[in-house]
Amino acid sequence: MDEAPARFTIVPDDYHVPYAGTAGDGRRFFLSDELFVPGGSAYVGVFLWKADGTFDEVRVDEVVRPAGLPPGQAAPADADQLVAARLAQLGDYVLEPIEVEPFTKTVRGVTFGFAVTQFEGMYSINVEPGDFIAYYAPWDGLEYDT
């Protein structure tokens, strides 16, 4: 059996994690336009941690979910201008691996964040809402399941 992680690493990539790194003010960030409630709303979310990796805040905007997607499938929202605006709010950011703590925060009745879950003795960290990314031990962010 493994242990629930106190920290994990998020590594930016060209797939589901295009925006992770350090904001101009030193905070760590993860931005996604693939957050969704199955069969419901879609969101653009910016998750922010203090420079030491402890949770700071979540900023979310409800957006239109692309038409024709199966209920459990993640896909980028049609929100390029909103993503650009949220990135601009980060100042001179750097895309780079970040080490942060998992957290969840409920906003308008929807849970957002990186939820620690356990199944058959194995821990994972799932991006919420939508559960479209799952990180596993060794928590280095280099591989994840979608």
Side-chain angles (χ1 to χ4, degrees):
M1 297 220 180
D2 62 347
E3 295 180 15
R7 299 279 174 131
F8 71 108
T9 301
I10 302 171
V11 178
D13 63 24
D14 293 330
Y15 188 41
H16 285 295
V17 188
Y19 304 113
T22 303
D25 64 5
R27 292 188 293 174
R28 309 305 183 225
F29 75 91
F30 170 83
L31 183 150
S32 179
D33 63 352
E34 296 188 51
L35 305 170
F36 67 98
V37 174
S41 300
Y43 301 89
V44 171
V46 179
F47 304 145
L48 294 156
W49 295 265
K50 296 174 186 167
D52 67 2
T54 57
F55 171 69
D56 192 18
E57 70 175 301
V58 171
R59 299 175 185 167
V60 296
D61 296 281
E62 191 168 355
V63 295
V64 176
R65 185 160 159 76
L69 285 176
Q73 183 175 330
D78 187 18
D80 293 343
Q81 290 180 345
L82 179 56
V83 169
R86 286 297 192 190
L87 287 170
Q89 291 172 350
L90 297 172
D92 291 329
Y93 64 88
V94 176
L95 298 177
E96 63 185 353
I98 57 173
E99 185 176 304
V100 295
E101 66 182 10
F103 74 91
T104 59
K105 176 84 173 168
T106 301
V107 178
R108 296 184 300 276
V110 177
T111 300
F112 290 87
F114 288 81
V116 177
T117 61
Q118 185 182 29
F119 180 73
E120 295 182 359
M122 300 295 293
Y123 286 93
S124 64
I125 298 175
N126 302 295
V127 179
E128 297 293 345
D131 189 18
F132 72 98
I133 295 175
Y135 290 97
Y136 296 92
W139 314 113
D140 60 8
L142 297 177
E143 294 184 31
Y144 53 82
D145 286 338
T146 58

Short mmCIF file of all heavy atoms in Angstrom, two decimals, residues 61-86:
data_model
loop_
_atom_site.label_atom_id
_atom_site.label_comp_id
_atom_site.label_asym_id
_atom_site.label_seq_id
_atom_site.Cartn_x
_atom_site.Cartn_y
_atom_site.Cartn_z
N ASP A 61 -14.53 30.37 -13.95
CA ASP A 61 -15.52 31.00 -14.81
C ASP A 61 -16.27 29.90 -15.53
O ASP A 61 -15.66 29.01 -16.13
CB ASP A 61 -14.85 31.89 -15.86
CG ASP A 61 -14.10 33.04 -15.23
OD1 ASP A 61 -14.75 34.03 -14.85
OD2 ASP A 61 -12.85 32.96 -15.11
N GLU A 62 -17.59 29.95 -15.48
CA GLU A 62 -18.40 28.99 -16.22
C GLU A 62 -18.40 29.39 -17.69
O GLU A 62 -18.51 30.57 -18.02
CB GLU A 62 -19.83 28.96 -15.69
CG GLU A 62 -20.63 27.80 -16.23
CD GLU A 62 -21.94 27.60 -15.49
OE1 GLU A 62 -22.20 28.30 -14.50
OE2 GLU A 62 -22.70 26.73 -15.93
N VAL A 63 -18.24 28.41 -18.56
CA VAL A 63 -18.17 28.65 -20.01
C VAL A 63 -19.05 27.63 -20.73
O VAL A 63 -19.53 26.68 -20.12
CB VAL A 63 -16.71 28.56 -20.53
CG1 VAL A 63 -15.85 29.66 -19.94
CG2 VAL A 63 -16.10 27.20 -20.24
N VAL A 64 -19.21 27.80 -22.01
CA VAL A 64 -20.00 26.88 -22.83
C VAL A 64 -19.16 25.63 -23.10
O VAL A 64 -18.02 25.72 -23.55
CB VAL A 64 -20.43 27.55 -24.15
CG1 VAL A 64 -21.15 26.56 -25.04
CG2 VAL A 64 -21.29 28.76 -23.86
N ARG A 65 -19.73 24.47 -22.82
CA ARG A 65 -19.07 23.20 -23.11
C ARG A 65 -19.24 22.90 -24.59
O ARG A 65 -20.33 23.08 -25.14
CB ARG A 65 -19.70 22.10 -22.26
CG ARG A 65 -19.02 20.76 -22.40
CD ARG A 65 -19.36 19.88 -21.20
NE ARG A 65 -19.18 18.48 -21.46
CZ ARG A 65 -18.01 17.84 -21.51
NH1 ARG A 65 -16.90 18.51 -21.32
NH2 ARG A 65 -17.95 16.55 -21.73
N PRO A 66 -18.16 22.45 -25.26
CA PRO A 66 -18.28 22.14 -26.68
C PRO A 66 -19.41 21.15 -26.95
O PRO A 66 -19.59 20.18 -26.20
CB PRO A 66 -16.92 21.52 -27.02
CG PRO A 66 -15.98 22.08 -25.99
CD PRO A 66 -16.82 22.22 -24.73
N ALA A 67 -20.17 21.39 -27.98
CA ALA A 67 -21.30 20.53 -28.34
C ALA A 67 -20.82 19.17 -28.84
O ALA A 67 -19.75 19.05 -29.43
CB ALA A 67 -22.14 21.21 -29.42
N GLY A 68 -21.63 18.15 -28.58
CA GLY A 68 -21.37 16.83 -29.14
C GLY A 68 -20.41 15.97 -28.37
O GLY A 68 -20.09 14.86 -28.81
N LEU A 69 -19.90 16.42 -27.21
CA LEU A 69 -18.97 15.60 -26.44
C LEU A 69 -19.73 14.59 -25.60
O LEU A 69 -20.78 14.91 -25.04
CB LEU A 69 -18.15 16.47 -25.49
CG LEU A 69 -17.04 17.30 -26.09
CD1 LEU A 69 -16.41 18.15 -25.01
CD2 LEU A 69 -15.99 16.43 -26.75
N PRO A 70 -19.20 13.38 -25.46
CA PRO A 70 -19.80 12.45 -24.51
C PRO A 70 -19.73 13.05 -23.11
O PRO A 70 -18.81 13.81 -22.80
CB PRO A 70 -18.91 11.20 -24.62
CG PRO A 70 -18.27 11.31 -25.96
CD PRO A 70 -18.10 12.78 -26.21
N PRO A 71 -20.67 12.72 -22.23
CA PRO A 71 -20.74 13.35 -20.91
C PRO A 71 -19.47 13.26 -20.08
O PRO A 71 -19.16 14.16 -19.33
CB PRO A 71 -21.89 12.60 -20.23
CG PRO A 71 -22.72 12.08 -21.34
CD PRO A 71 -21.78 11.80 -22.47
N GLY A 72 -18.69 12.20 -20.18
CA GLY A 72 -17.49 12.04 -19.36
C GLY A 72 -16.20 12.41 -20.03
O GLY A 72 -15.13 12.10 -19.52
N GLN A 73 -16.24 13.04 -21.18
CA GLN A 73 -15.03 13.34 -21.93
C GLN A 73 -14.59 14.78 -21.73
O GLN A 73 -15.39 15.70 -21.84
CB GLN A 73 -15.23 13.08 -23.42
CG GLN A 73 -13.97 13.32 -24.22
CD GLN A 73 -14.16 12.95 -25.68
OE1 GLN A 73 -14.95 12.07 -26.00
NE2 GLN A 73 -13.46 13.63 -26.54
N ALA A 74 -13.30 14.98 -21.47
CA ALA A 74 -12.73 16.31 -21.34
C ALA A 74 -12.37 16.84 -22.73
O ALA A 74 -11.99 16.09 -23.62
CB ALA A 74 -11.48 16.28 -20.48
N ALA A 75 -12.50 18.15 -22.90
CA ALA A 75 -12.10 18.81 -24.13
C ALA A 75 -11.97 20.29 -23.82
O ALA A 75 -12.66 20.81 -22.94
CB ALA A 75 -13.14 18.60 -25.23
N PRO A 76 -11.08 20.98 -24.52
CA PRO A 76 -10.95 22.42 -24.27
C PRO A 76 -12.26 23.14 -24.57
O PRO A 76 -12.94 22.85 -25.55
CB PRO A 76 -9.86 22.86 -25.25
CG PRO A 76 -9.12 21.61 -25.59
CD PRO A 76 -10.13 20.50 -25.51
N ALA A 77 -12.59 24.08 -23.69
CA ALA A 77 -13.76 24.92 -23.92
C ALA A 77 -13.44 25.93 -24.99
O ALA A 77 -12.27 26.21 -25.26
CB ALA A 77 -14.15 25.62 -22.63
N ASP A 78 -14.45 26.49 -25.60
CA ASP A 78 -14.25 27.53 -26.60
C ASP A 78 -14.13 28.86 -25.85
O ASP A 78 -15.05 29.66 -25.83
CB ASP A 78 -15.43 27.55 -27.58
CG ASP A 78 -15.19 28.52 -28.74
OD1 ASP A 78 -14.02 28.90 -28.97
OD2 ASP A 78 -16.17 28.91 -29.39
N ALA A 79 -12.97 29.04 -25.19
CA ALA A 79 -12.80 30.18 -24.30
C ALA A 79 -11.40 30.79 -24.42
O ALA A 79 -10.79 31.16 -23.42
CB ALA A 79 -13.07 29.74 -22.87
N ASP A 80 -10.89 30.88 -25.63
CA ASP A 80 -9.52 31.37 -25.83
C ASP A 80 -9.29 32.76 -25.25
O ASP A 80 -8.24 33.03 -24.66
CB ASP A 80 -9.16 31.37 -27.32
CG ASP A 80 -9.06 29.97 -27.89
OD1 ASP A 80 -8.96 29.01 -27.12
OD2 ASP A 80 -9.10 29.84 -29.13
N GLN A 81 -10.26 33.66 -25.39
CA GLN A 81 -10.10 35.01 -24.85
C GLN A 81 -10.05 34.99 -23.33
O GLN A 81 -9.27 35.73 -22.73
CB GLN A 81 -11.20 35.93 -25.35
CG GLN A 81 -11.07 36.25 -26.83
CD GLN A 81 -12.18 37.18 -27.32
OE1 GLN A 81 -13.18 37.38 -26.65
NE2 GLN A 81 -11.98 37.75 -28.50
N LEU A 82 -10.87 34.17 -22.71
CA LEU A 82 -10.86 34.06 -21.26
C LEU A 82 -9.55 33.47 -20.77
O LEU A 82 -8.96 33.95 -19.79
CB LEU A 82 -12.05 33.22 -20.78
CG LEU A 82 -12.15 32.99 -19.28
CD1 LEU A 82 -12.19 34.30 -18.51
CD2 LEU A 82 -13.39 32.15 -18.99
N VAL A 83 -9.05 32.43 -21.43
CA VAL A 83 -7.77 31.83 -21.06
C VAL A 83 -6.67 32.89 -21.18
O VAL A 83 -5.84 33.04 -20.27
CB VAL A 83 -7.46 30.59 -21.92
CG1 VAL A 83 -6.02 30.13 -21.73
CG2 VAL A 83 -8.43 29.47 -21.58
N ALA A 84 -6.65 33.64 -22.27
CA ALA A 84 -5.64 34.69 -22.45
C ALA A 84 -5.74 35.74 -21.36
O ALA A 84 -4.72 36.20 -20.83
CB ALA A 84 -5.80 35.33 -23.83
N ALA A 85 -6.95 36.11 -20.98
CA ALA A 85 -7.14 37.11 -19.91
C ALA A 85 -6.63 36.57 -18.58
O ALA A 85 -5.97 37.30 -17.82
CB ALA A 85 -8.61 37.51 -19.81
N ARG A 86 -6.96 35.32 -18.28
CA ARG A 86 -6.49 34.72 -17.02
C ARG A 86 -4.96 34.60 -17.00
O ARG A 86 -4.33 34.84 -15.97
CB ARG A 86 -7.13 33.35 -16.80
CG ARG A 86 -8.58 33.40 -16.40
CD ARG A 86 -8.75 34.10 -15.09
NE ARG A 86 -10.09 33.92 -14.55
CZ ARG A 86 -10.54 34.57 -13.51
NH1 ARG A 86 -9.77 35.45 -12.90
NH2 ARG A 86 -11.75 34.37 -13.07
#
